[in-house]
């Protein structure tokens, strides 16, 4: 069946550098996407979302890019900090607010 | 926004027994969800629990194994029945506080279950 997946399962970056986390999806009908951050021992936390009628959305230090042509979603974190270390999940709305999650990428920030 | 609490936060159970996980939300919500997150894995939706109707289960999950209650708009329980080691996982409660065209999903802290 259609699903959401990630190109890279792990990512290690130097503190202060920018991070880019990628996600591929295959459900062309998905109209809404969310990025979540999950720290150890906690539930996922909403970071930023984007609708399919947009290709870019910016938040505080984070930017989400959506390329519907190649069904690709990315999360960019500027000036990555140690507190950004976590697992990041993308999720897509496959319909009726049914969110399906990708495999997750573990981001490690080196001081 | 919504603040969600879960009880217990963790438990170690013997195979063949059952555990009921409670989810409490600080506001009234229509849509509640139960997810499972196996170690090092992503989240998998178990079921959607709307107040006043039977829970809707995803493929691979059945009511006999994961009975759900939704007695009111702020509370739900998920029971993991006749547990086996394969049920060892984190179980997360989630709510959607969005209205109409908006979508705002919040998660509880999770219940870490270990079955021996």
């Amino acid at each position: 069946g259609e699903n959401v997946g990630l190109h890279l399962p792990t990512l290690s970056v130097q503190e202060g550098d920018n991070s880019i986390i990628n996600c591929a999806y295959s459900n062309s009908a998905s109209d809404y996407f969310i990025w979540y951050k999950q720290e150890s021992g906690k539930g996922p936390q909403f970071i930023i979302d984007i609708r399919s009628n947009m290709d870019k959305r910016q938040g505080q230090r984070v930017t989400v890019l959506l390329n519907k042509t190649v069904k690709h979603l990315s999360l960019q974190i500027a000036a990555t900090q140690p507190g950004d270390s976590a697992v990041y999940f993308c999720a897509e709305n496959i319909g009726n607010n049914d969110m399906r999650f990708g495999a997750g990428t573990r981001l490690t920030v080196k001081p | 926004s919504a603040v969600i609490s879960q009880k217990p936060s963790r438990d170690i159970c013997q195979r063949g027994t059952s555990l009921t996980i409670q989810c409490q939300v600080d506001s009234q919500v229509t849509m509640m969800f139960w997810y499972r997150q196996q170690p090092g894995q992503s989240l998998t939706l178990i079921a959607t629990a709307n107040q006043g109707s039977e829970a809707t289960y995803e493929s691979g999950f059945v009511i006999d194994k994961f009975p759900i209650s939704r007695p009111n708009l702020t509370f739900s329980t998920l029971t993991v029945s006749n547990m086996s080691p394969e049920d060892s996982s984190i179980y997360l409660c989630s709510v959607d506080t969005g209205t109409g065209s908006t979508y705002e999903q919040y998660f509880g802290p999770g219940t870490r279950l270990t079955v021996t």
Side-chain angles (χ1 to χ4, degrees):
Chain A
E2 297 186 344
N3 55 46
V4 177
L6 291 171
H7 294 305
L8 298 173
T10 61
L11 177 65
S12 183
V13 300
Q14 204 71 37
E15 180 178 359
D17 288 351
N18 297 333
S19 303
I20 300 176
I21 301 171
N22 296 303
C23 177
Y25 67 95
S26 57
N27 188 335
S28 57
S30 294
D31 62 356
Y32 182 67
F33 304 86
I34 301 177
W35 279 101
Y36 290 92
K37 172 186 180 183
Q38 188 175 24
E39 297 175 278
S40 179
K42 298 182 180 180
Q45 179 184 11
F46 173 96
I47 302 174
I48 191 168
D49 60 357
I50 189 168
R51 295 199 174 273
S52 59
N53 61 353
M54 305 170 68
D55 54 19
K56 181 179 180 179
R57 189 154 189 243
Q58 288 185 294
Q60 186 178 16
R61 282 200 308 117
V62 295
T63 301
V64 56
L65 299 177
L66 175 62
N67 186 331
K68 294 181 288 295
T69 302
V70 296
K71 298 186 183 67
H72 184 267
L73 193 69
S74 69
L75 176 70
Q76 300 178 0
I77 304 174
T80 314
Q81 304 169 359
D84 295 326
S85 293
V87 176
Y88 290 81
F89 295 98
C90 64
E92 62 175 334
N93 178 20
I94 64 171
N96 296 320
N97 287 345
D98 185 354
M99 300 301 293
R100 300 296 165 129
F101 287 76
T105 293
R106 181 175 298 280
L107 174 65
T108 301
V109 182
K110 297 178 289 185
Chain B
S1 66
V3 177
I4 304 170
S5 60
Q6 288 184 230
K7 290 182 180 179
S9 59
R10 59 177 62 224
D11 206 344
I12 300 173
C13 302
Q14 291 189 339
R15 69 174 66 207
T17 63
S18 297
L19 176 71
T20 296
I21 302 168
Q22 299 179 6
C23 175
Q24 181 75 51
V25 189
D26 69 341
S27 58
Q28 293 185 336
V29 294
T30 300
M31 300 185 73
M32 295 182 76
F33 308 89
W34 285 99
Y35 287 83
R36 181 172 73 182
Q37 185 177 27
Q38 294 180 307
Q41 303 295 316
S42 185
L43 291 82
T44 301
L45 181 64
I46 297 172
T48 301
N50 294 335
Q51 198 271 337
S53 62
E54 294 290 325
T56 302
Y57 289 82
E58 298 298 307
S59 175
F61 298 97
V62 295
I63 187 171
D64 290 345
K65 176 67 175 178
F66 297 102
I68 289 171
S69 79
R70 184 77 203 275
N72 57 53
L73 291 173
T74 64
F75 187 79
S76 178
T77 67
L78 170 76
T79 298
V80 186
S81 303
N82 188 23
M83 288 183 284
S84 66
E86 292 71 33
D87 294 320
S88 296
S89 189
I90 298 172
Y91 292 85
L92 294 126
C93 171
S94 173
V95 303
D96 174 13
T97 64
T99 57
S101 60
T102 66
Y103 184 84
E104 298 179 32
Q105 187 174 22
Y106 298 91
F107 286 84
T111 295
R112 183 180 293 273
L113 171 62
T114 302
V115 184
T116 60

